Amino acid sequence: MRPFDYQRPDTLSGAHGAARDGATFIAGGTNLIDLMKLEVMAPDTLVDISRLGLDRIEPHGDGLHVGATVTNSDLAADLRIRRDYPVLARALLAGASGQLRNKATTGGNLLQRTRCPYFYDTATPCNKRRPGSGCAAFGGEMRNHAVLGTSEHCLALHPSDMAVAMRALDATVELEGADGTRRETALDDFYRLPGDRPDRETTLSAGDLITGVILPAPFGGRQTYRKVRDRASYAFALVSVAATVRMENDLISNVALAFGGIGTRPWRDHDVEDLLTGEAPTTALFEKAGDILMKDAVLREGLEFKDTLVRRLLTATLTEMTQ
């Protein structure tokens, strides 16, 4: 067992003070503890942020502010989320068992690490775990890897269901730096593509702490989250889609689509949405949307099925929502 220090500050300034080099923030610990057990991560200090008052869901302009330590269970059960952001509630309920949702937090969910088996196996090379060591996924088992946003250094799939729904909702991440300065960043700008440094997964700087997520004014219209997986419950997505659609005079007046299971981050392609907006829903239109979505996909051996799967899921979801 690797020794580490544990601190539980009562204030944000205290948390930043404790977060020196080698320290890691911990909330629910549903992912971090597993990584520590496997020695994928070995922080010198754990800084527990569970007592910082970040566990509330409050009005924020026309939308909502969701504190970083709001649990997935509480967020999914909140009446305002269920009424105004049902795509988010559905994604959360599709994401894990009840026991995990009771511990997992909003901020932690955004930061959960990939479930790539080579990332978890310290006996294999992994650029995400140790930059420059190589990627064992090339030539290995490919079923649960990404086809969009990959590089020659990493194929790791982004695992979160919640983040996919928040990407469709145009959510914003609220951060506080080590100097106490707060800033906001769009979720699409929060995640990095792997490039040649797949270990850098987000735009967080040293000492940055997620304090919350801001949801914009309710979209209205129809919302859904559909997830295809190997078993009916508590499995990561082979392919998923978070969809919000508004119809007007039998035309698609507004649409937002974000995808899981295919990208190295929650995937959204505005060219797909531009194609659909203002058009009458038809199967041919939806198939063309699939062509645009997958035009840059790299379908390595073992991943070819995702092309067919995501196209069928997109067509089925849009057909149901525009009838």
Side-chain angles (χ1 to χ4, degrees):
M1 179 177 177
R2 294 181 181 270
F4 59 89
D5 292 332
Y6 172 81
Q7 298 191 36
R8 188 167 60 188
D10 295 321
T11 64
L12 282 167
S13 60
H16 289 302
R20 60 184 185 275
D21 290 343
T24 298
F25 293 120
I26 184 171
T30 55
N31 189 201
L32 176 60
I33 299 303
D34 286 341
L35 293 169
M36 291 176 65
K37 289 178 180 178
L38 295 171
E39 298 191 351
V40 175
M41 295 181 68
D44 295 329
T45 302
L46 293 183
V47 181
D48 187 340
I49 62 170
S50 61
R51 294 190 176 183
L52 303 185
L54 302 176
D55 57 350
R56 293 185 288 272
I57 305 172
E58 301 174 314
H60 187 278
D62 294 329
L64 289 176
H65 180 277
V66 180
T69 58
V70 172
T71 67
N72 287 181
S73 289
D74 287 345
L75 186 58
D78 187 90
L79 179 60
R80 293 162 294 183
I81 298 296
R82 293 167 59 192
R83 179 189 63 216
D84 297 329
Y85 309 93
V87 63
L88 177 55
R90 292 186 180 189
L92 288 163
L93 294 174
S97 67
Q99 293 93 330
L100 285 174
R101 291 198 302 269
N102 288 341
K103 293 294 293 180
T105 62
T106 300
N109 196 306
L110 293 177
L111 294 176
Q112 64 177 301
R113 309 296 299 275
T114 182
R115 264 51 183 192
C116 173
Y118 303 107
F119 173 71
Y120 277 79
D121 183 359
T122 56
T124 63
C126 173
N127 289 319
K128 187 178 285 292
R129 184 172 9 90
R130 192 170 76 245
S133 63
C135 177
F138 287 96
E141 190 280 324
M142 285 281 187
R143 181 173 174 79
N144 293 304
H145 287 86
V147 299
L148 289 168
T150 62
S151 74
E152 62 183 10
H153 302 279
C154 187
L155 309 172
L157 193 65
H158 184 84
S160 174
D161 292 286
M162 184 196 79
V164 173
M166 286 188 170
R167 182 69 193 93
L169 292 170
D170 289 316
T172 300
V173 183
E174 181 187 66
L175 307 169
E176 183 171 293
D179 60 357
T181 302
R182 291 207 176 188
R183 68 184 191 277
E184 298 173 5
T185 182
L187 195 60
D188 195 39
D189 298 325
F190 179 72
Y191 293 109
R192 296 177 182 267
L193 292 173
D196 60 357
R197 287 300 304 269
D199 57 309
R200 297 177 178 174
E201 298 174 354
T202 71
T203 55
L204 289 174
S205 300
D208 280 352
L209 174 64
I210 296 176
T211 54
V213 173
I214 299 169
L215 300 177
F219 177 87
R222 300 174 182 175
Q223 302 182 23
T224 193
Y225 184 78
R226 298 185 67 169
K227 180 178 179 179
V228 180
R229 44 195 163 178
D230 282 325
R231 61 180 187 270
S233 61
Y234 316 141
F236 292 97
L238 292 174
V239 172
S240 66
V241 60
T244 63
V245 176
R246 284 202 298 261
M247 300 291 293
E248 185 175 341
N249 298 325
D250 296 325
L251 301 178
I252 301 171
S253 64
N254 200 310
V255 59
L257 299 166
F259 298 86
I262 59 173
T264 55
R265 62 181 183 179
W267 202 262
R268 187 169 174 184
D269 189 330
H270 292 290
D271 289 341
V272 174
E273 297 165 9
D274 291 342
L275 170 74
L276 296 169
T277 303
E279 298 293 330
T282 64
T283 299
L285 177 69
F286 301 156
E287 289 175 348
K288 187 175 180 180
D291 292 338
I292 294 174
L293 174 65
M294 299 300 287
K295 67 181 184 299
D296 295 323
V298 181
L299 301 171
R300 296 176 174 86
E301 184 178 357
L303 288 169
E304 301 93 339
F305 75 98
K306 290 202 173 187
D307 182 69
T308 301
L309 194 58
V310 72
R311 290 170 185 270
R312 289 178 176 175
L313 181 64
L314 174 62
T315 297
T317 300
L318 290 174
T319 299
E320 177 185 339
M321 298 186 71
T322 57
Q323 287 180 346

